[in-house]
Amino acid sequence: MKEWSKYFQLPEFLEYTRKYMLTDELRELVISHMHLKEGDKILEAGCGTGYLGRYLKKGVPSLQITAFDRDKGFIEAAKRLGDGINFFIADAKKIPFDDSSFDHVVSHTFFTSVNDPKAVLKEMKRVLKPEGIISSITSMSFIPAVMESGHYPPDCKWLVRYRELYRNVWNMYEKIDPVKGYTNGMTTAEIPHFFAENGLKDISLYPIGSLFSFSNASLNKKDREKYVIDSYECEWHKLNRFLKLDDRNQFLKKEEAEEYLYLLEEKKNFLLDNLEDNSIFEWTGSGSVLITGRK
């Protein structure tokens, strides 16, 4: 398995996807379900780029948030993006804090990734104050429940070849750096019982839905433009990093990679020229669940 932040999910990718998994409209509900209050001391485990911590702090500015990840690339990005949050590198199986240090321990898409959830939960409980709460937001599936490839005008002749190359490129990613290497923890469905059998009480579940489409009239033009540009740049950087690996030649020809990058830009330019088109509707939708348990 390669470094998470360098190949599987670039920091930029993590950032722009989180914006649509945790929207402004959901913030008040998430804060309420986590039972956060003014001045609480929060520890975020496996923070990635720190989006969840910043998301919560925007709703309750007085939260005292400390966040860690074992991936140096993510922590470097988090420090650039975070304001008023203490970020550091650490292993979740050995959290460098005293017993009963925090009111809450929170995480986002974390328990599905750690290879020893029981050891991690034990450490979370250790640093949690009596009656403190552990909260986990986890995707119900790593593949969105709805993936609509869009309804483009007939004159977009480039789209057929783009989609063909897209499949080839992502097949290469999966062959070189399989998703299963990053999802070696437990399934989301297992987490509530796992919390209960390991000593947490008052286990509660709350649904969190997400969807995104750049055709959505409810989004302002600036947000649509940013999504198109961010998604293009993430794809561009990811592919170029893989192209530097020796084993990519087994799965993707240089000519195919160059053609894909060209068509990727073609798609970006088309979307930027048609930001207010309310008919294309290329979109994704998925569900997450917020699970909480009290020490």
Side-chain angles (χ1 to χ4, degrees):
M1 186 179 75
K2 298 175 171 56
E3 189 177 356
W4 187 310
S5 64
K6 189 172 181 180
Y7 294 100
F8 182 60
Q9 288 183 319
L10 277 64
E12 297 84 357
F13 176 85
L14 213 63
E15 276 293 303
Y16 96 83
T17 55
R18 286 338 183 234
K19 291 176 183 177
Y20 308 109
M21 294 172 74
L22 293 171
T23 63
D24 290 342
E25 292 81 3
L26 287 171
R27 183 182 288 104
E28 188 174 334
L29 275 177
V30 171
I31 288 171
S32 174
H33 294 331
M34 286 184 172
H35 304 286
L36 303 180
K37 59 184 184 299
E38 296 285 348
D40 276 347
K41 293 184 68 176
I42 313 294
L43 177 67
E44 183 183 356
C47 65
T49 56
Y51 188 84
L52 176 60
R54 302 196 319 270
Y55 178 80
L56 298 175
K57 197 169 178 63
K58 188 173 181 180
V60 187
S62 65
L63 292 177
Q64 302 174 57
I65 301 179
T66 300
F68 71 89
D69 199 291
R70 69 177 185 178
D71 190 308
K72 180 181 177 182
F74 281 145
I75 292 299
E76 288 175 349
K79 288 181 176 179
R80 291 194 299 270
L81 296 165
D83 184 18
I85 297 176
N86 176 32
F87 293 105
F88 64 99
I89 299 171
D91 188 325
K93 289 181 284 188
K94 194 174 181 181
I95 301 173
F97 285 97
D98 294 335
D99 296 358
S100 303
S101 294
F102 297 94
D103 300 296
H104 300 263
V105 180
V106 303
S107 65
H108 188 218
T109 60
F110 179 64
F111 278 100
T112 52
S113 303
V114 293
N115 57 17
D116 192 350
K118 192 168 184 177
V120 168
L121 185 61
K122 182 179 179 181
E123 270 294 90
M124 288 180 169
K125 288 173 61 182
R126 181 185 65 78
V127 301
L128 194 63
K129 295 177 182 178
E131 298 298 314
I133 295 174
I134 293 175
S135 298
S136 165
I137 300 176
T138 312
S139 298
M140 295 183 190
S141 170
F142 270 78
I143 299 175
V146 177
M147 295 184 70
E148 172 55 61
S149 59
H151 303 272
Y152 287 77
D155 58 345
C156 292
K157 306 295 184 184
W158 47 268
L159 196 58
V160 174
R161 181 59 174 161
Y162 166 80
R163 287 172 175 166
E164 179 182 333
L165 290 170
Y166 176 89
R167 288 191 293 270
N168 294 348
V169 168
W170 281 83
N171 177 65
M172 176 196 68
Y173 293 156
E174 180 60 23
K175 296 291 186 183
I176 295 177
D177 198 26
V179 171
K180 64 183 180 181
Y182 300 93
T183 56
N184 52 7
M186 59 176 50
T187 66
T188 297
E190 295 175 287
I191 297 174
H193 177 68
F194 169 72
F195 276 12
E197 71 175 353
N198 284 282
L200 295 181
K201 58 187 180 181
D202 300 331
I203 313 299
S204 301
L205 286 75
Y206 308 94
I208 298 176
S210 66
L211 65 85
F212 182 79
S213 172
F214 49 74
S215 303
N216 193 346
S218 71
L219 293 175
N220 64 53
K221 187 175 180 180
K222 184 178 179 181
D223 285 342
R224 290 181 231 176
E225 180 180 42
K226 182 169 176 53
Y227 174 85
V228 171
I229 293 172
D230 286 353
S231 59
Y232 165 78
E233 290 182 350
C234 288
E235 283 294 311
W236 190 93
H237 285 297
K238 179 166 183 168
L239 180 53
N240 275 282
R241 289 188 182 188
F242 272 84
L243 293 179
K244 295 176 182 177
L245 301 175
D246 293 336
D247 46 354
R248 66 90 183 165
N249 293 304
Q250 303 174 48
F251 310 108
L252 190 72
K253 297 176 182 177
K254 180 182 177 182
E255 295 77 14
E256 289 181 312
E258 291 174 347
E259 185 181 4
Y260 177 71
L261 290 172
Y262 171 80
L263 293 175
L264 189 65
E265 185 167 14
E266 185 88 357
K267 180 183 179 182
K268 178 200 71 172
N269 291 335
F270 173 81
L271 294 176
L272 290 177
D273 289 340
N274 294 273
L275 282 176
E276 296 183 272
D277 189 303
N278 196 216
S279 65
I280 294 172
F281 277 97
E282 179 178 322
W283 70 291
T284 61
S286 62
S288 295
V289 59
L290 166 56
I291 304 164
T292 65
R294 190 181 298 276
K295 181 177 176 181

